[in-house]
Amino acid sequence: KNKMARTYLYLLALSAAFLAAEVTADPEKPKFPESFKTRLSVSETGQKEAALADGETARTYNPTKGMEVQIFQGHTSTKPEQVFSVRLELYAQNISYRIGPENRTCIKEKVHTAMPLQWALLKEANYIGERTVRLFKLDAWEYNSSSGLHVTFYNEPHQDIPFGVHAISNERAVVVEYFGFVPGTPNPSIYQVPTKCRKTSESQVVEEISTEVTTPEMIKASEQYWIDFVARMH
């Protein structure tokens, strides 16, 4: 009987320890989709009434082919009227096409960085607990770089959809919030070179060239993405 009692108590203690570990364990890290369309709101930290940008954005990535497309339509703090901008990044070919709200013509530039997947830093982020944002209880994941960049990703528990991002760089901070986030890749025609950017000698459709990027390159490029993003919003 004593042996059975000891065994029972041992199993009971083991079960209690397992349950305690389960309760305190970090949640599973979300896997945000790289291709999506969403409504986007960007504001300065603590200055919600002074939004920096508000509108619809569509982003799609083809990492294996080294291509990225960004489309934004909405308002910015410097352009209260409706603006429209397009960026087609062909990292495998080291070429970038940009049509921005300030300039109706196309700007073709050389690209000298690896392709920065938007959520690459999330893979390196640490869970910092639950946070409440606009009455929503969210999981928070924080990434800190040696250069002073701090990025926190928020998601609703057990959801692979981003709720928002808080990015700090050079003592400047912005909050990005997503509304109506829809995962999925748009029509392949989105990878066509914009009409304004075409020359008679250029193909209308981008040639897909495979490219591979190492993890350190990806992290560095993604850090620079968020540094540039914060800088553009100020």
Side-chain angles (χ1 to χ4, degrees):
K1 284 186 176 181
N2 289 337
K3 187 175 181 180
M4 289 182 62
R6 284 197 299 269
T7 302
Y8 175 77
L9 290 173
Y10 172 76
L11 292 174
L12 191 63
L14 192 63
S15 298
F18 176 78
L19 289 173
E22 190 176 39
V23 169
T24 58
D26 290 349
E28 185 176 352
K29 189 174 292 185
K31 297 178 178 63
F32 298 158
E34 294 293 351
S35 297
F36 57 85
K37 181 178 180 180
T38 184
R39 183 165 181 79
L40 178 75
S41 175
V42 184
S43 60
E44 293 183 76
T45 302
Q47 301 293 327
K48 302 295 285 186
E49 70 279 7
L52 300 172
D54 183 37
E56 297 283 345
T57 185
R59 297 175 65 93
T60 181
Y61 291 84
N62 189 334
T64 59
K65 304 299 182 182
M67 300 189 299
E68 171 192 358
V69 177
Q70 298 182 49
I71 299 174
F72 174 79
Q73 185 168 353
H75 308 271
T76 67
S77 57
T78 57
K79 287 283 184 178
E81 68 274 18
Q82 189 83 349
V83 298
F84 179 77
S85 63
V86 177
R87 291 175 60 194
L88 173 61
E89 312 282 5
L90 308 178
Y91 292 94
Q93 300 178 19
N94 298 321
I95 297 175
S96 169
Y97 295 98
R98 302 170 189 267
I99 301 176
E102 301 288 343
N103 192 335
R104 297 300 178 183
T105 60
C106 177
I107 300 174
K108 181 179 179 181
E109 300 175 320
K110 285 286 185 181
V111 177
H112 300 289
T113 64
M115 185 175 180
L117 295 185
Q118 187 166 6
W119 315 120
L121 300 185
L122 175 61
K123 297 178 181 179
E124 308 296 322
N126 296 312
Y127 182 66
I128 59 173
E130 200 175 68
R131 299 289 188 272
T132 300
V133 179
R134 293 196 292 105
L135 302 180
F136 289 92
K137 288 190 178 296
L138 308 171
D139 287 332
W141 309 84
E142 187 176 67
Y143 175 87
N144 297 305
S145 75
S146 56
S147 63
L149 173 68
H150 307 281
V151 183
T152 305
F153 302 91
Y154 298 94
N155 70 294
E156 292 189 57
H158 314 297
Q159 297 293 320
D160 289 329
I161 297 294
F163 182 93
V165 179
H166 182 198
I168 303 174
S169 174
N170 295 322
E171 299 183 356
R172 292 177 171 179
V174 297
V175 174
V176 184
E177 292 187 74
Y178 304 100
F179 305 91
F181 192 99
V182 180
T185 303
N187 191 298
S189 64
I190 197 171
Y191 288 114
Q192 290 185 348
V193 176
T195 304
K196 292 184 179 181
C197 303
R198 297 177 194 162
K199 295 180 181 178
T200 54
S201 60
E202 287 183 317
S203 172
Q204 291 187 6
V205 181
V206 176
E207 179 186 358
E208 297 185 352
I209 301 177
S210 297
T211 182
E212 294 185 6
V213 180
T214 64
T215 299
E217 290 176 323
M218 180 69 70
I219 294 300
K220 184 177 180 180
S222 297
E223 286 183 355
Q224 193 60 50
Y225 166 84
W226 284 105
I227 291 172
D228 292 343
F229 183 89
V230 174
R232 285 200 306 271
M233 291 298 108
H234 286 269

